[in-house]
Amino acid sequence: MSDESTFSTYAEIPALPVPRLEDTVRRYLESVAPLLEPAAYAETEAAAQELLAEGGQGRRLHAALEAKAANADNWLAEWWDDVAYLGAPDPVLINSSWGIWCDPRQPTDDPAARAAEVTARTVDYHISIVNETLPPDRAGKAQAPQDMSFFKRMFGVNRTPGAVKDSLAVYGPDVSRHVVAISGGRVFTLQVLDDDGRCMSVAELTRAFQSLIDAAEAEVAPEPRVAALTSERRPVWALERARLQADPANAATLEAIETALFGVYFTGESYDTFNAMARGGVHGRAGDRWMDKAFAYVVDARGRVSHHGEHSAFDALQPIAAFDYACDKAQRGVFRAEPAEQKLRDDRPTPQRRNWALSAESRAAIDAAVARFDAQVADFDLEILAFDGFGKNLIKTFKTGPDPFVQMAYQLAYHRLHGRFPKTYESAATRGFRLGRTETIRPVTRESTAFIEAMLDPNSAPADRIAKGRAAFETHGRLGAEATAAQGCDRHLLGLKLIAAALGEEPPKVLTEEIFTRGWELTTAQIPVKSMMQNTFGPVMPSGYGIGYVIRGDDLSCSVVAHTSHPDTSAKRFAAAIRAALEDLRTLFASEAA
C-alpha cells in the first residue's frame, strides 16, 4: 500500500509534448519507406519535406499546435474522444468493443456465485477509487508516476448515441449504486452499494443473482431483444433510443441501465473452447449485451467470466487493473474462492425487473437490429492461437525483448501468406503524460523487412539472418521507447490535420496521400494481464487483421480476427502461419546459442 492518494501524483506528471516537426517527418518517412515503391516513396518524401519549408503551412500548423499545447495538460485530449471513437457512425459491436477472457480449461463454479465474487471485488475496487485509497501507478526504474485520470470514468459510464456524434455520460457515486444484469435478454438492476457506501456481501449477491436467473428462466413468453439496438449504426440507434425514451416506462429503464456502475450478463451458454470464450467476451448473442456500457462481466453457464468493454471511455489498462484485482493472481483465470460472508441483511436489496413498452415501430427496428447483429457476427472470423512452445523466459535468452520477437513473427507470417508487408499498428501507452492514452508503434521498418526477406531467402546464411534479426529487434525496441515517451509520428500528424481543420485550412498534401489514409492492415495490441488469458478485438478495415496477444513466462497466446467476407484473409491460416513463424525464429536464435 502507498501513503499517496490515487490522484495525488497528477501535478508530478508532465503535459503531453508536441514532438519536433523535423523528428516527426523523419520518423514518418522511415515508417513508409518499406511499404512504397521507389517512385511513390519519392513523391511522399517530397510532400513530407514540404512540412519543413520555412514560412510554409507545416511550420504554421506546428506553431499553432505548440501554442495550443502551451495552455493545455494534453493538447490532443479534447479531440481524441471524438476523432477516435465518438464521431464514428459505425456500430460499436466489433468496431469499438473488445473481450478479455479467462482460460476455459480452469476450474469453475456456478454462475451466480462467480458473478457475486467478481462483482463484490470490483465494487471494492470502485470504492477505493471513490475514496482515493487506490495507490497511484508508477512505472520503470525511475518509478515515474502514471496518469490515473481515466479511472474516474470507468464506473457509471455510458456511451450515448447521437445523430451526428455520440457522447460519454459519466455518473457519480451518488447516482451509480447499482449494476445492470441481463439474463435471457431480460433486464434487471441490482443495488450493490447501501446508503453508507458499503458493498453487499458475496452471499447476498449470490442469492440476488440466482433469483434473477431463476426469474428469467421462469418467464415463458419470449423477450424482445431490445439490447440488440445498441449494436446498430450509431445514428440509427440514436433515432430508436429517442423513440423508446418517449415512453415514461422506457425512459426509466434506459436511465437505470445507463447509470449502472457496470453490467453483469448471464449467457446460459457454455464457452468450452478458446474460440467460444473469445466470442462470448466480444459479442455473444443479439440482445445479451448492452453495448453502450463502458464495461461488463459476461458469465457463462459454468461460471467462467469474461470482460466485455467499449473502447471510447478508456484504454484496456484501466479495466484490466480492476479485473486483475478481482482475480486470484496466483492462478490464471481462477477467481478467488474465499468463504462468502453468510450474514444476510433483512433489508438487503433484491433484483428489480425492468420492462419495456414497445411500439410496432420499435419491434420492427429490434428485428432489423438482430438480423444485422447476426450478419456482423457471421463476418467475425476468429482463431485463437494458444502457443505453449515457449514464452518470454526463452525469448529473453536470445538477448532481445519478447515484444520485438513476437512482432517479427507477425511480419514473417503475413508475408508468407500475402507476399508483402502490411501497414501495421501496435499500441503503446502514454500514461506517463497527463491524460495520456496511446501512441502508435509502426513495427514495419527497413531493418525488419531486411530480416524477413533474409528469412524468406533459402540462400541466406543463419549468421546473416541473426545479425539482421538483432538489428530489427533493436530498432523495434527504440520505436517502442519513443512511442511511450510520446515521440511517435502518428499523434503529431493527426494534430496537424486537426489544427488545419480548426483554422479552416485544407490538410497538408502528405496527409492526403493513400499511404497515410490507408487503414491499418495489421492492428496489434499486447496487454500486461496477470490473471486472464487473452484479449480479443476486431480488425479496423475489411482486408485487415486484429491481433490481441499476451506473452507469459512459458507460453503466449494470440487472438487473430479477420473478416469472413474478405476473400484474401483467413484468421485460421494466419494463426497457423504465426505458429510456424514463432517456431522458425526459435530454431534460428537457438542455433546461435548452441
Side-chain angles (χ1 to χ4, degrees):
M1 297 296 292
S2 169
D3 293 333
E4 298 175 313
S5 62
T6 305
F7 307 107
S8 62
T9 59
Y10 189 79
E12 301 176 43
I13 301 172
L16 186 73
V18 179
R20 293 176 66 247
L21 188 58
E22 291 81 0
D23 290 339
T24 290
V25 169
R26 172 181 54 79
R27 290 180 179 120
Y28 179 66
L29 289 174
E30 288 175 351
S31 76
V32 299
L35 303 174
L36 295 172
E37 295 297 327
Y41 176 76
E43 291 182 9
T44 295
E45 183 179 30
Q49 292 296 341
E50 287 179 9
L51 292 174
L52 302 178
E54 291 300 329
Q57 183 189 30
R59 293 289 185 184
R60 286 191 294 99
L61 295 178
H62 179 73
L65 206 57
E66 287 186 313
K68 178 179 174 64
N71 298 297
D73 283 353
N74 186 306
W75 57 265
L76 182 58
E78 68 175 277
W79 282 327
W80 183 252
D81 286 350
D82 290 347
V83 172
Y85 300 107
L86 300 179
D90 304 312
V92 296
L93 172 64
I94 297 173
N95 295 297
S96 186
S97 56
W98 69 54
I100 304 171
W101 42 278
C102 67
D103 189 336
R105 299 168 297 184
Q106 296 289 348
T108 54
D109 285 339
D110 67 275
R114 283 300 186 211
E117 279 186 343
V118 73
T119 296
R121 284 164 180 78
T122 304
V123 172
D124 284 344
Y125 195 83
H126 164 65
I127 292 170
S128 74
I129 295 173
V130 172
N131 294 337
E132 299 190 26
T133 58
L134 179 70
D137 291 340
R138 291 182 177 271
K141 293 180 180 179
Q143 287 294 284
Q146 302 292 287
D147 185 85
M148 301 292 288
S149 300
F150 290 97
F151 285 91
K152 294 179 181 178
R153 64 181 203 184
M154 188 165 71
F155 294 92
V157 177
N158 194 78
R159 177 170 171 169
T160 306
V164 177
K165 71 174 183 177
D166 291 359
S167 60
L168 280 178
V170 182
Y171 300 96
D174 55 330
V175 174
S176 296
R177 296 190 296 132
H178 62 283
V179 298
V180 57
I182 300 179
S183 181
R186 294 163 173 82
V187 177
F188 300 81
T189 53
L190 175 64
Q191 184 176 328
V192 294
L193 285 166
D194 63 21
D195 293 338
D196 296 322
R198 295 174 302 183
C199 183
M200 292 174 65
S201 72
V202 173
E204 290 168 329
L205 287 168
T206 301
R207 181 78 61 88
F209 282 135
Q210 189 60 59
S211 70
L212 71 85
I213 292 171
D214 293 342
E217 290 178 348
E219 293 187 18
V220 177
E223 179 73 4
R225 290 183 276 182
V226 179
L229 291 171
T230 65
S231 64
E232 276 281 24
R233 286 179 57 83
R234 303 308 287 176
V236 174
W237 168 217
L239 176 66
E240 295 304 329
R241 181 178 177 276
R243 194 197 308 275
L244 288 173
Q245 205 167 28
D247 186 284
N250 293 336
T253 296
L254 285 167
E255 181 181 20
I257 294 170
E258 293 172 356
T259 60
L261 283 167
F262 54 89
V264 182
Y265 307 145
F266 297 93
T267 71
E269 299 179 295
S270 290
Y271 300 140
D272 296 324
T273 66
F274 293 125
N275 283 11
M277 200 74 194
R279 286 185 172 277
V282 175
H283 59 73
R285 296 176 298 188
D288 285 351
R289 314 277 188 278
W290 196 266
M291 297 283 174
D292 291 350
K293 292 305 296 177
F295 81 94
Y297 293 112
V298 179
V299 187
D300 86 345
R302 291 184 57 195
R304 302 185 188 93
V305 179
S306 302
H307 169 278
H308 174 85
E310 196 282 309
H311 212 321
S312 58
F314 42 63
D315 299 302
L317 293 174
Q318 287 80 23
I320 286 171
F323 214 161
D324 270 340
Y325 180 88
C327 295
D328 183 351
K329 297 177 178 60
Q331 298 184 59
R332 183 174 68 247
V334 182
F335 289 85
R336 293 185 181 131
E338 297 171 355
E341 181 185 340
Q342 293 303 311
K343 183 178 179 181
L344 299 173
R345 292 174 291 182
D346 293 335
D347 62 342
R348 63 187 180 275
T350 57
Q352 184 175 353
R353 177 76 158 89
R354 300 290 180 169
N355 296 303
W356 303 99
L358 300 177
S359 65
E361 292 85 355
S362 290
R363 290 180 182 276
I366 292 167
D367 290 342
V370 169
R372 279 188 279 270
F373 179 101
D374 291 342
Q376 287 185 78
V377 168
D379 197 30
F380 190 72
D381 181 21
L382 176 141
E383 183 70 20
I384 302 300
L385 169 60
F387 183 82
D388 58 5
F390 58 88
K392 66 177 66 175
N393 292 336
L394 179 65
I395 295 172
K396 287 178 180 179
T397 68
F398 301 148
K399 300 177 182 178
T400 185
D403 188 66
F405 188 95
V406 173
Q407 284 286 338
M408 293 309 117
Y410 297 154
Q411 291 192 42
L412 178 57
Y414 189 97
H415 202 291
R416 282 173 170 169
L417 278 184
H418 299 289
R420 59 185 181 85
F421 294 104
K423 184 178 177 183
T424 304
Y425 169 96
E426 180 183 358
S427 178
T430 53
R431 289 184 61 210
F433 302 93
R434 293 181 183 180
L435 304 178
R437 293 195 61 164
T438 62
E439 176 57 275
T440 303
I441 304 170
R442 292 183 169 224
V444 178
T445 64
R446 288 186 175 94
E447 291 80 6
S448 74
T449 55
F451 173 49
I452 301 307
E453 286 166 352
M455 290 293 296
L456 297 170
D457 180 1
N459 298 316
S460 177
D464 179 59
R465 293 178 176 180
I466 289 170
K468 288 178 176 176
R470 295 214 176 283
F473 297 154
E474 182 179 354
T475 298
H476 187 88
R478 173 177 59 80
L479 293 176
E482 289 177 352
T484 302
Q487 294 297 312
C489 66
D490 283 274
R491 300 297 176 261
H492 189 191
L493 292 172
L494 174 63
L496 296 177
K497 180 179 179 180
L498 294 173
I499 202 78
L503 295 173
E505 298 183 22
E506 292 296 318
K509 179 183 176 183
V510 70
L511 305 185
T512 66
E513 293 185 319
E514 189 277 336
I515 189 59
F516 183 82
T517 60
R518 183 193 306 176
W520 300 105
E521 295 164 296
L522 189 57
T523 307
T524 68
Q526 179 187 183
I527 57 172
V529 68
K530 299 174 183 176
S531 303
M532 303 307 290
M533 181 70 179
Q534 183 63 62
N535 56 322
T536 299
F537 56 86
V540 298
M541 60 186 300
S543 61
Y545 293 95
I547 300 183
Y549 61 110
V550 178
I551 309 173
R552 291 173 288 269
D554 295 311
D555 67 318
L556 61 91
S557 53
C558 304
S559 175
V560 182
V561 180
H563 287 290
T564 305
S565 58
H566 199 277
D568 298 331
T569 60
S570 165
K572 190 163 189 167
R573 283 190 286 120
F574 195 21
I578 293 170
R579 179 184 292 277
L582 288 167
E583 294 285 8
D584 289 345
L585 294 186
R586 172 175 63 174
T587 299
L588 174 65
F589 287 93
S591 69
E592 182 186 39

